[in-house]
Amino acid sequence: MTEHEASASAAPELFTWEFATDPYPAYAWLREHAPVHRTRLPSGVEAWLVTRYADAKQTLADQRLSKNPAHHDEPAHAKGRTGIPGERKAELMTHLLNIDPPDHTRLRRLVSKAFTPRRVAEFAPRVQELTDQLIAGFAARGSADLIHEFAFPLPIYAICDLLGVPREDQDDFRDWAGMMIRHGGGPRGGVARSVKKMRGYLAELIHRKREALTAEPEPGEDLISGLIRASDHGEHLTENEAAAMAFILLFAGFETTVNLIGNGMHALLTHPGQRARLQASLAAGESGLLETGVEELLRYDGPVELATWRFATEDVRIGGQDIAAGDPVLVVLAAADRDPERFQDPDTLDLSRRDLQHLGYGHGIHYCLGAPLARLEGQTALGTLLERLPDIQLAGESADLRWRGGLIMRGLRTLPVEFTPVK
């Protein structure tokens, strides 16, 4: 029996509900026995999983691996199974997660202006305001579901403000985004319907903003207006590209932050020693442990379990394994960030860890554009919760919590907590 056959016969079962609750033992097995592992996904598509840190980092930067689903060798009718449900029919494919240079370079340059450190710093008061408002909504009650009442609405409203979605329309976005999350492991039809509604709204909003565009940009101009302005000044951004860009910023920008806050708070509540250290640091007016702590929470149990799809454009070799042209490759960020060859005591949560070179935001040209905003939202949300609700604790047992069963993201369905009511 070959090593590959032996590993395949003993491989742990993946993508079950039990696996979703705690995938890390299975990933540890794969790192050791089958670091580049071919498996059949719940959708029926076969793909390679890359689980070691060194291989993962190399793969994320390998330009022979395309983001464009056109390079997938599956029959045309199956291609819709490898992306966001409904994006193809809604003509929302031309976004940063699906394209390669030079188009990727052009579109990323246009939108990167919204995520400069200065622009994000200017947005900090609004994130704090949203955080305070949401906590005020349940603080007097003494209990809450931190996913639905806090972690979910916060990034939705923040990204809507950034895009320029009028306040009166933001609850519609919240409903559509909720449908996407609720159907993460279930029927794809609900997601596709939400994508279609969002596409129609974005087309109308782009038209309205183009009509109202001023000759010169105003201070703090919203992102959609900026994209329109760029396309009207020779950057050749089509309406489909503008709509796709707004869509993916919402789609990629909200669920990742929901999970960053939810997973992060869950980790703190189940590691009382680390949580106490952080609260003492915050009480002393320090920010350093909060900053390193959010990075450690991203490494320890991050919001993105697998990096988004890549397809080999030619035969490639990764981690000693030959991969044929056309094969899908999925980098398992959650496995790479617990690799003992890279991180000391990787299964230990240490908020003061100084080695912060995790892959939670990706690596290479597709490194997460919204990382500065995610850091701001994560630090603001977790820091404010611990300061305002100092005795917050899980309402029930951690083992009873349910995790969503999607492929790319890792997040809790609910996070019930209780605390002393605050008037």
Side-chain angles (χ1 to χ4, degrees):
M1 184 181 289
T2 67
E3 183 181 349
H4 178 75
E5 289 169 334
S7 66
S9 64
E13 193 173 0
L14 306 178
F15 310 118
T16 62
W17 286 113
E18 293 77 15
F19 169 84
T21 299
D22 183 10
Y24 295 103
Y27 288 148
W29 190 96
L30 287 176
R31 275 196 313 267
E32 183 175 353
H33 299 286
V36 182
H37 175 67
R38 189 175 176 92
T39 189
R40 182 176 293 275
L41 303 173
S43 64
V45 173
E46 291 198 358
W48 294 95
L49 303 181
V50 179
T51 54
R52 288 180 179 167
Y53 183 95
D55 295 336
K57 193 169 181 180
Q58 172 198 327
T59 302
L60 291 170
D62 194 331
Q63 303 218 5
R64 296 172 299 172
L65 297 169
S66 170
K67 299 291 290 175
N68 189 338
H71 290 290
H72 191 192
D73 72 348
E74 286 264 333
H77 73 272
K79 288 181 182 174
R81 291 186 288 172
T82 60
I84 300 168
E87 64 178 354
R88 186 179 301 274
K89 283 186 179 178
E91 296 184 317
L92 290 170
M93 292 290 289
T94 51
H95 58 66
L96 291 173
L97 296 185
N98 280 345
I99 58 174
D100 304 314
D103 284 336
H104 176 270
T105 310
R106 173 176 63 91
L107 293 180
R108 189 177 174 102
R109 185 180 69 248
L110 286 177
V111 78
S112 64
K113 298 165 189 170
F115 296 101
T116 62
R118 178 183 169 190
R119 185 77 187 271
V120 170
E122 290 172 351
F123 200 53
R126 176 59 178 157
V127 173
Q128 186 66 62
E129 180 187 5
L130 286 168
T131 300
D132 293 340
Q133 287 175 356
L134 291 168
I135 292 175
F138 55 76
R141 199 170 69 227
S143 65
D145 173 3
L146 281 187
I147 300 299
H148 292 284
E149 295 182 76
F150 184 70
F152 175 69
L154 174 59
I156 280 288
Y157 293 138
I159 201 73
C160 280
D161 279 355
L162 201 66
L163 288 170
V165 176
R167 298 276 168 91
E168 62 269 21
D169 295 342
Q170 291 185 5
D171 283 336
D172 288 337
F173 265 77
R174 181 176 174 166
D175 291 344
W176 298 329
M179 183 66 73
M180 291 177 183
I181 279 193
R182 283 194 295 276
H183 286 271
R188 294 166 70 85
V191 184
R193 282 193 295 276
S194 294
V195 169
K196 185 176 180 181
K197 288 177 181 177
M198 199 176 287
R199 173 66 176 91
Y201 175 84
L202 287 171
E204 180 187 335
L205 183 62
I206 288 169
H207 177 74
R208 291 205 318 257
K209 286 186 176 293
R210 177 169 269 131
E211 294 285 305
L213 208 63
T214 57
E216 295 296 327
E218 298 174 8
E221 184 173 70
D222 66 73
L223 184 50
I224 290 180
S225 295
L227 291 172
I228 296 167
R229 192 178 299 282
S231 65
D232 289 348
H233 287 77
E235 289 281 6
H236 310 299
L237 191 73
T238 67
E239 184 184 293
N240 275 354
E241 286 175 333
M245 183 70 77
F247 165 73
I248 202 58
L249 288 171
L250 180 83
F251 192 89
F254 91 87
E255 191 172 0
T256 51
T257 309
V258 174
N259 296 347
L260 168 58
I261 296 169
N263 298 7
M265 201 63 200
H266 174 256
L268 291 171
L269 293 176
T270 52
H271 292 79
Q274 293 295 309
R275 172 251 186 93
R277 286 180 65 199
L278 180 54
Q279 285 182 298
S281 171
L282 292 169
E286 300 163 358
S287 62
L289 192 62
L290 180 62
E291 292 169 5
T292 61
V294 166
E295 299 306 307
E296 171 68 348
L297 292 167
L298 274 160
R299 183 203 67 81
Y300 180 78
D301 196 12
V304 183
E305 193 166 341
L306 283 73
T308 48
W309 296 85
R310 284 165 169 77
F311 307 93
T313 58
E314 59 186 79
D315 294 349
V316 296
R317 191 169 178 83
I318 300 173
Q321 177 66 55
D322 291 321
I323 294 174
D327 278 2
V329 177
L330 290 165
V331 174
V332 187
L333 304 177
D337 280 342
R338 295 263 193 125
D339 188 344
E341 292 292 315
R342 179 60 185 81
F343 296 100
Q344 186 174 2
D345 299 324
D347 295 322
T348 298
L349 180 68
D350 178 5
L351 299 183
S352 59
R353 189 185 292 270
R354 294 297 172 185
D355 182 1
L356 302 177
Q357 300 301 308
H358 61 78
L359 299 176
Y361 291 124
H363 174 67
I365 63 169
H366 291 282
Y367 182 84
C368 176
L369 194 63
L373 180 60
R375 284 191 177 101
L376 169 67
E377 291 178 333
Q379 291 172 18
T380 304
L382 297 175
T384 306
L385 276 173
L386 292 176
E387 288 186 299
R388 302 280 170 83
L389 311 172
D391 64 349
I392 189 170
Q393 61 183 356
L394 284 175
E397 297 297 322
S398 176
D400 295 332
L401 295 172
R402 293 291 300 276
W403 296 78
R404 288 194 299 275
L407 181 65
I408 301 297
M409 302 289 186
R410 172 165 172 77
L412 287 160
R413 290 172 176 266
T414 61
L415 184 56
V417 295
E418 54 193 14
F419 44 86
T420 301
V422 179
K423 298 300 181 185

